[in-house]
Amino acid sequence: MLLDREGQLETLLSAMRSAAAGHGSTVLLEGEAGIGKTSLLREFAEHADKGCQVLWGWCEALFTPCPLGPMQDIGQLLDPHVAALLDQAAPPERLFPALLNVLQHASVAIVLIFEDVHWADNATLDLIKYLGRRISLLPAVLVLSLRSDEIGADHPLTHVLGDLPSASVTRIALEPLSREAVTVLAEQAGRGAADLYRVTEGNPFFITELLASGEAEPGRVPDSIRDAVWTRLSRLTASERKVLEVISIVPGSVEPWLIRRLLGVEAEALVDKCVARGLLRQDDQGAVMFRHELARQATLDRLPPNLQRSLHAKVEVAISQLPTAHASALLSRRVHHAAGADDGARVLELAPQAAAHAARLGAHREGASHLATALKYVAQATPELAAQLYEDWAYEAGLALHVYEPVIEAHHRAIAIWRELGRIDKIGRNLCKLARLHWGRGEGQP
Ligand SMILES: Nc1ncnc2c1ncn2[C@@H]1O[C@H](COP(=O)(O)OP(=O)(O)OP(=O)(O)O)[C@@H](O)[C@H]1O
Ligand SMILES: [Mg+2]
């Protein structure tokens, strides 16, 4: 049962009703980690008119986010043509109008939920901008949830949100639960509420974790949520704990086949137990995820670094054996795990491919980020690859990051290597870029 959220639920439902009448809008659902954004959206999805379609897409905490992550989740359910365009990594100028067309001609109001957009990739940010500017004329609601504590003034999302037309944007800022609500939750769990409000400051995740850990007595309350999560883990059987620890290596949801590959078929019963205990959630397709990202992080932090590396390697190998291993959505995941495994050769193989995919989708920040991951292993690269990485990073970073010095430095590094290799064509190209960069800085003026 959700406490203290009636007004916010009504705001969401009224945005949905307006959309059904042809007046769409964007709803920004903001609040600190664990404040109850996902819970409110679930409640909303349950209360939404049965005649409207609610679709969920997620942004994940990968080192480098997957391009158009939320659309990869939604595409298939929304429209086969949009799904096909996503599979082909079609450029934004084809994909975005196709999506718009589907929303315009939908027979029912559509609610698109993009969860955790503080982790959104560049292409998703472009899509938000594109839809957000047109939404008022569509029978659709775009709901964006974000952790307000994760985005500062210079976060790219801040600029995107600032550019949305204010007349069609509704902001819902979730506040901590009231003292009364905390007392209700404590009583439901059969515990005293003393000190709970002060220690948790009304953050529902902290409250539910502390209550579940059984350590909510005054003076015995763990002083950090990590302690609460660890305490809860320590109550499990060793095999249940192992399931959670292994699953914690994967950000977002873990598909059933991956669970089998990592833990064997016998783990399925243990996963069910963890779901029943409320530690994991399972979706309709059987994929599981931690009930909360904070809990996943805290669980992962328990693992010694060498075990984390070997689990990352295992996940990467498992994904690499899929027939679709080179699909863009999987490439980002593979780079994440190859980097986590500290496997330089694998990163050097995969990160440039992932960067090229991201760049094709207009996600230049992610392109630069993948290439930066590869550059960590530049000492293991052939001279040709090293020079190309510097050159490509300079290009992507120049487009996305608006930094001059590091980009100029990267071009110089590329030039030095191309010179040793006698590649005059490449030297010329980099010199042209450098000239433009210096000119852009005003160094060409008399
Ligand atoms: N209004 C509420 N009343 C009671 N319990 C709540 C309420 N909101 C959230 N909770 C509980 O708090 C926990 C955290 O909530 P939730 O996962 O929705 O937070 P979140 O804001 O989505 O977090 P994150 O930023 O990490 O995604 C959940 O276990 C949920 O059951
Ligand atoms: Mg959430």
Side-chain angles (χ1 to χ4, degrees):
M1 186 193 57
L2 283 194
L3 301 166
D4 283 353
R5 299 295 185 242
E6 290 84 349
Q8 295 86 344
L9 180 61
E10 185 45 41
T11 305
L12 282 162
L13 289 169
S14 109
M16 182 205 62
R17 288 192 287 265
S18 301
H23 310 293
S25 62
T26 305
V27 178
L28 300 182
L29 177 59
E30 315 173 64
E32 68 182 34
I35 201 69
K37 301 176 291 295
T38 303
S39 305
L40 174 62
L41 291 175
R42 270 210 213 97
E43 187 89 349
F44 164 58
E46 271 173 31
H47 283 80
D49 288 351
K50 294 300 164 243
C52 90
Q53 193 181 11
V54 181
L55 296 168
W56 292 71
W58 303 79
C59 303
E60 314 287 7
L62 296 172
F63 292 146
T64 301
C66 164
L68 289 174
M71 279 312 297
Q72 308 280 0
D73 296 332
I74 288 172
Q76 198 62 49
L77 298 165
L78 183 65
D79 177 71
H81 178 53
V82 168
L85 289 174
L86 281 164
D87 282 350
Q88 297 157 15
E93 54 274 25
R94 285 183 61 210
L95 178 69
F96 293 4
L99 175 61
L100 186 66
N101 191 41
V102 170
L103 296 177
Q104 264 164 347
H105 296 102
S107 54
V108 293
I110 292 184
V111 179
L112 291 178
I113 297 178
F114 288 13
E115 270 257 42
D116 300 326
V117 291
H118 47 276
W119 290 319
D121 62 284
N122 257 16
T124 297
L125 293 178
D126 283 348
L127 178 61
I128 291 172
K129 213 187 273 186
Y130 179 89
L131 283 183
R133 296 171 83 91
R134 292 161 178 79
I135 198 93
S136 61
L137 300 173
L138 300 173
V141 188
L142 177 61
V143 181
L144 309 172
S145 77
L146 60 125
R147 283 186 185 168
S148 40
D149 44 349
E150 296 241 3
I151 64 164
D154 55 350
H155 193 287
L157 182 63
T158 307
H159 303 296
V160 172
L161 299 182
D163 277 343
L164 295 180
S166 54
S168 56
V169 175
T170 305
R171 289 186 108 100
I172 301 177
L174 286 188
E175 298 295 334
L177 299 184
S178 61
R179 200 178 283 274
E180 292 71 15
V182 175
T183 308
V184 170
L185 289 174
E187 280 170 4
Q188 277 171 0
R191 296 184 206 284
D195 248 16
L196 190 58
Y197 184 76
R198 182 184 62 77
V199 173
T200 62
E201 297 184 4
N203 179 304
F205 171 64
F206 287 41
I207 296 164
T208 47
E209 286 305 315
L210 290 172
L211 289 175
S213 76
E215 299 289 324
E217 297 305 314
R220 298 190 56 215
V221 180
D223 61 0
S224 79
I225 202 61
R226 181 170 306 170
D227 289 344
V229 174
W230 287 17
T231 308
R232 203 164 176 203
L233 285 173
S234 69
R235 300 257 160 93
L236 303 176
T237 63
S239 42
E240 286 170 345
R241 193 161 52 243
K242 179 167 176 229
V243 166
L244 291 177
E245 287 175 350
V246 170
I247 286 177
S248 75
I249 205 75
V250 183
S253 58
V254 196
E255 300 88 341
W257 64 265
L258 187 51
I259 295 172
R260 283 195 292 276
R261 285 295 303 274
L262 295 173
L263 289 153
V265 267
E266 57 284 5
E268 280 172 9
L270 291 167
V271 168
D272 289 346
K273 274 197 191 150
C274 293
V275 172
R277 282 172 178 273
L279 293 158
L280 295 175
R281 265 204 318 266
Q282 194 156 31
D283 70 14
D284 299 342
Q285 277 83 44
V288 298
M289 66 194 84
F290 269 75
R291 200 169 52 80
H292 203 283
E293 171 62 16
L294 293 174
R296 183 187 76 83
Q297 289 285 351
T299 308
L300 182 59
D301 286 351
R302 282 166 57 97
L303 304 187
N306 57 351
L307 180 55
Q308 291 193 25
R309 281 194 293 275
S310 73
L311 283 172
H312 274 299
K314 239 175 141 175
V315 176
E316 199 285 309
V317 169
I319 300 179
S320 75
Q321 289 166 352
L322 289 177
T324 50
H326 288 276
S328 63
L330 290 180
L331 272 175
S332 302
R333 288 176 66 180
R334 290 177 66 192
V335 174
H336 176 83
H337 291 295
D342 199 21
D343 184 341
R346 209 66 159 164
V347 171
L348 288 171
E349 175 200 337
L350 297 171
Q353 295 177 41
H357 268 289
R360 247 201 324 273
L361 292 169
H364 296 290
R365 187 161 49 98
E366 285 64 40
S369 173
H370 281 305
L371 292 163
T373 305
L375 280 169
K376 288 189 191 139
Y377 299 94
V378 70
Q380 298 174 36
T382 60
E384 283 86 355
L385 178 57
Q388 197 61 54
L389 285 175
Y390 282 122
E391 184 177 324
D392 290 347
W393 180 84
Y395 180 73
E396 295 296 330
L399 281 178
L401 305 181
H402 309 295
V403 286
Y404 273 107
E405 289 311 324
V407 170
I408 287 173
E409 161 87 18
H411 277 302
H412 280 295
R413 282 175 187 261
I415 288 170
I417 305 173
W418 289 131
R419 208 179 282 289
E420 276 175 25
L421 295 169
R423 289 291 301 273
I424 294 176
D425 55 330
K426 290 288 202 176
I427 297 170
R429 191 178 303 176
N430 279 275
L431 285 172
C432 284
K433 296 262 169 59
L434 273 178
R436 238 173 274 150
L437 284 163
H438 285 290
W439 180 270
R441 275 211 309 207
E443 289 168 29
Q445 310 298 326

